[in-house]
Amino acid sequence: GAGVSQTPSNKVTEKGKYVELRCDPISGHTALYWYRQSLGQGPEFLIYFQGTGAADDSGLPNDRFFAVRPEGSVSTLKIQRTERGDSAVYLCASSPPGGERDTQYFGPGTRLTVL
Amino acid sequence: SQQGEEDPQALSIQEGENATMNCSYKTSINNLQWYRQNSGRGLVHLILIRSNEREKHSGRLRVTLDTSKKSSSLLITASRAADTASYFCATDGDSNYQLIWGAGTKLIIKP
């Protein structure tokens, strides 16, 4: 079946601009996660959704970052007033309810470059 | 902040040899997972081992967990060129959903 998809795959923007990154989780997966990965590092947790609500947004670095999941499926990560330090690969993952919820299924990521 | 540390940072071996990577973590865990990442396919889940397990196998993969030492190892037997990738361990720490990751081991399999 279809895996987690993320669009766009690459995004180049200028400092100060607003960007939106989209994630389509695996159908039926109730949990959705956003991570950020810098070169040579492991992913860094940003936010976790259970259904429509953000159950944990403690990883968002500051108030320029915001994420929504209005219908409990697709999620959008929004970054305002982008800075060069925001450049990274943004990863989305989803996991099913029940006993397999520990395993997270990752999308290919969106590579964000802020010039 | 990163919970796990993989060791070595990079490993280069001949095809057919075994590869061993280690992971150390800091807090108590419910489970530990290993993932593989290459440029073509993103992060792929390999294996999960729970805190009450000591060893787990999946195909050519063998994972051990020592909770007293807060460490885990991943062994890949009979390596193949397609195993070339970065390998990450991830733990759940105090949470049952938030994964905390190490910086990864970059594995290169030479033909």
Side-chain angles (χ1 to χ4, degrees), chain B residues 11 14 24 32-33 38 40 54 62 64 73-74 82 90 102 110:
Chain B
L11 179 62
Q14 292 295 138
S24 60
L32 182 146
Q33 305 182 48
N38 58 32
R54 292 295 168 260
R62 172 178 167 249
T64 62
S73 69
L74 171 67
K110 296 179 286 186

Side-chain angles (χ1 to χ4, degrees), chain A residues 43-93:
Chain A
E44 174 188 10
F45 171 80
L46 294 177
I47 188 170
Y48 157 64
F49 286 90
Q50 185 59 252
T52 61
D56 183 350
D57 64 357
S58 62
L60 294 178
N62 51 59
D63 61 6
R64 295 186 298 105
F65 288 74
F66 189 70
V68 295
R69 195 186 185 199
E71 297 178 358
S73 178
V74 170
S75 177
T76 304
L77 178 66
K78 307 179 181 192
I79 310 174
Q80 298 177 321
R81 305 182 305 280
T82 52
E83 300 177 356
R84 291 195 180 88
D86 298 335
S87 296
V89 176
Y90 288 82
L91 298 167
C92 175

Side-chain angles (χ1 to χ4, degrees), chain A residues 37 41-43 48 56 102 104, chain B residues 2 33 35 37 50 97 102:
Chain A
Q37 186 176 25
Q41 299 295 316
Y48 157 64
D56 183 350
D102 296 325
Q104 298 183 16
Chain B
Q2 295 195 312
Q33 305 182 48
Y35 285 77
Q37 185 177 43
R50 301 203 179 277
Y97 58 82

Side-chain angles (χ1 to χ4, degrees), chain B residues 5-8 11 13 18-24 32-37 44-49 54-66 71-77 83 85-90 104-105 107:
Chain B
E5 290 185 9
E6 284 89 346
D7 164 50
L11 179 62
I13 61 174
N18 296 342
T20 300
M21 289 158 274
N22 303 295
C23 166
S24 60
L32 182 146
Q33 305 182 48
W34 284 91
Y35 285 77
R36 180 183 68 215
Q37 185 177 43
V44 174
H45 178 262
L46 295 176
I47 196 165
L48 179 151
I49 186 165
R54 292 295 168 260
E55 187 171 313
K56 202 162 184 180
H57 296 253
S58 176
R60 294 184 296 113
L61 306 180
R62 172 178 167 249
V63 169
T64 62
L65 179 64
D66 186 335
S71 68
S72 173
S73 69
L74 171 67
L75 168 68
I76 303 174
T77 60
D83 295 329
S86 290
Y87 290 81
F88 294 89
C89 70
T105 291
L107 176 66

